[in-house]
Amino acid sequence: QVRLVESGGGLVQAGGSLRLSCAASGSIFSINSMNWYRQAPGKERELVATITSDGITNHADSVKGRFTISRDNAKNTVYLQMNSLKPEDTAVYYCKFRARSTAWGTWNGYWGQGTQVTVSS
């Protein structure tokens, strides 16, 4: 049983900052990648940022230079530092881990419950 709990969302003015966190608990043997997605009403869920088991990060062009993904492996936690927020960043943000519970198990995707980020103009 793997559970991802998100926190850090809220309301912020344009140009402000927020930091999201997502902590996993349960039977986790290894994590292949940690990811942040977001979905705004009427839009598809999009990948915002990812960090691999090797520590390689990637960010969507729309957030590059403003958002930074990081992790704390000891805590099975991923963070998303969001700076210079824009109204178009308003969305529900979801974390997703690709992980397995045993060395011989299958890789599965686990999702957080989502946290609302609202950026006012």
Side-chain angles (χ1 to χ4, degrees), residues 32-59:
N32 179 254
S33 65
M34 301 175 175
N35 310 272
W36 286 100
Y37 291 78
R38 68 184 181 186
Q39 187 167 26
K43 295 184 179 180
E44 294 183 343
R45 185 171 298 185
E46 64 174 336
L47 179 64
V48 175
T50 184
I51 184 167
T52 71
S53 60
D54 295 326
I56 300 173
T57 61
N58 290 99
H59 300 79

Side-chain angles (χ1 to χ4, degrees), residues 27-30 99-107:
S27 300
I28 299 175
F29 178 79
S30 62
R100 59 184 178 181
S101 58
T102 64
W104 56 88
T106 59
W107 294 98

Side-chain angles (χ1 to χ4, degrees), residues 35-108:
N35 310 272
W36 286 100
Y37 291 78
R38 68 184 181 186
Q39 187 167 26
K43 295 184 179 180
E44 294 183 343
R45 185 171 298 185
E46 64 174 336
L47 179 64
V48 175
T50 184
I51 184 167
T52 71
S53 60
D54 295 326
I56 300 173
T57 61
N58 290 99
H59 300 79
D61 289 341
S62 59
V63 306
K64 194 169 296 182
R66 300 187 298 118
F67 292 10
T68 303
I69 189 171
S70 62
R71 68 182 182 185
D72 185 337
N73 287 339
K75 298 181 179 180
N76 285 334
T77 299
V78 64
Y79 304 94
L80 186 67
Q81 179 66 47
M82 304 184 294
N83 298 324
S84 301
L85 283 162
K86 304 174 181 179
E88 49 263 45
D89 295 319
T90 296
V92 177
Y93 285 71
Y94 299 90
C95 60
K96 178 190 176 182
F97 286 17
R98 182 171 174 81
R100 59 184 178 181
S101 58
T102 64
W104 56 88
T106 59
W107 294 98
N108 297 112

